[in-house]
Amino acid sequence: MREIQKTKEEWQQELTGQQCFVLFEKGTERPFSHPYNDNKEKGTYVCAACGTPLFSSETKYESGSGWPSFFQPIAKENVEEIVDKTHGMVRTEVVCRTCGGHLGHVFSDGPKPTGLRYCMNGAALKFDKAE
């Protein structure tokens, strides 16, 4: 059971069409299309649907993938990892533990210290700039 549960119609009233597509239809934005891919400011990336803190700018790096990439979440308990066998491959989907929104996928080709690449959709995130 998720902490926040809303109907599709409720989410549509609060989010953009692109955010709903990515977060609740498990969509993916085009690579290099979201401004967060190139964002270098200090702050926190939170779930665009519910505001749960997900990633710190301190863990963001340039992966070359075309999506914002991080080597670890702010808190492991804020995300959930689910085996994804869609599109003829096996991957690990990352969702927001609070609302269940699809964020992206995690891969084992990231930098030290974790070796992980949390490849996230910018549309699934909001950026809270540090003061």
Side-chain angles (χ1 to χ4, degrees):
M1 217 46 169
R2 302 281 178 205
E3 275 182 54
I4 297 176
Q5 295 184 40
K6 296 183 182 183
T7 66
K8 182 178 180 179
E9 291 74 24
E10 289 172 316
W11 285 123
Q12 288 172 333
Q13 290 176 356
E14 297 176 25
L15 302 169
T16 68
Q18 177 74 353
Q19 288 171 320
C20 283
F21 171 68
V22 169
L23 286 159
F24 299 107
E25 295 178 37
K26 298 183 188 244
T28 301
E29 65 202 13
R30 288 178 296 116
F32 303 102
S33 67
H34 200 281
Y36 291 163
N37 186 54
D38 296 322
N39 185 23
K40 308 268 190 273
E41 295 184 281
K42 301 288 184 203
T44 302
Y45 292 86
V46 302
C47 177
C50 70
T52 296
L54 300 169
F55 300 95
S56 167
S57 62
E58 300 295 318
T59 64
K60 187 174 186 285
Y61 71 99
E62 179 52 56
S63 69
S65 67
W67 290 276
S69 297
F70 308 85
F71 61 78
Q72 71 185 23
I74 283 180
K76 197 72 169 159
E77 61 270 11
N78 291 3
V79 297
E80 182 178 350
E81 297 179 9
I82 302 167
V83 175
D84 175 2
K85 295 182 179 177
T86 61
H87 306 293
M89 61 184 106
V90 178
R91 303 178 290 176
T92 303
E93 178 187 13
V94 179
V95 301
C96 174
R97 192 172 300 272
T98 305
C99 69
H102 169 78
L103 304 170
H105 291 85
V106 61
F107 302 94
S108 60
D109 61 357
K112 292 180 180 182
T114 64
L116 299 173
R117 173 173 52 102
Y118 285 83
C119 188
M120 303 292 100
N121 287 284
L125 306 171
K126 281 188 187 172
F127 182 68
D128 289 341
K129 188 176 176 178
E131 294 180 23

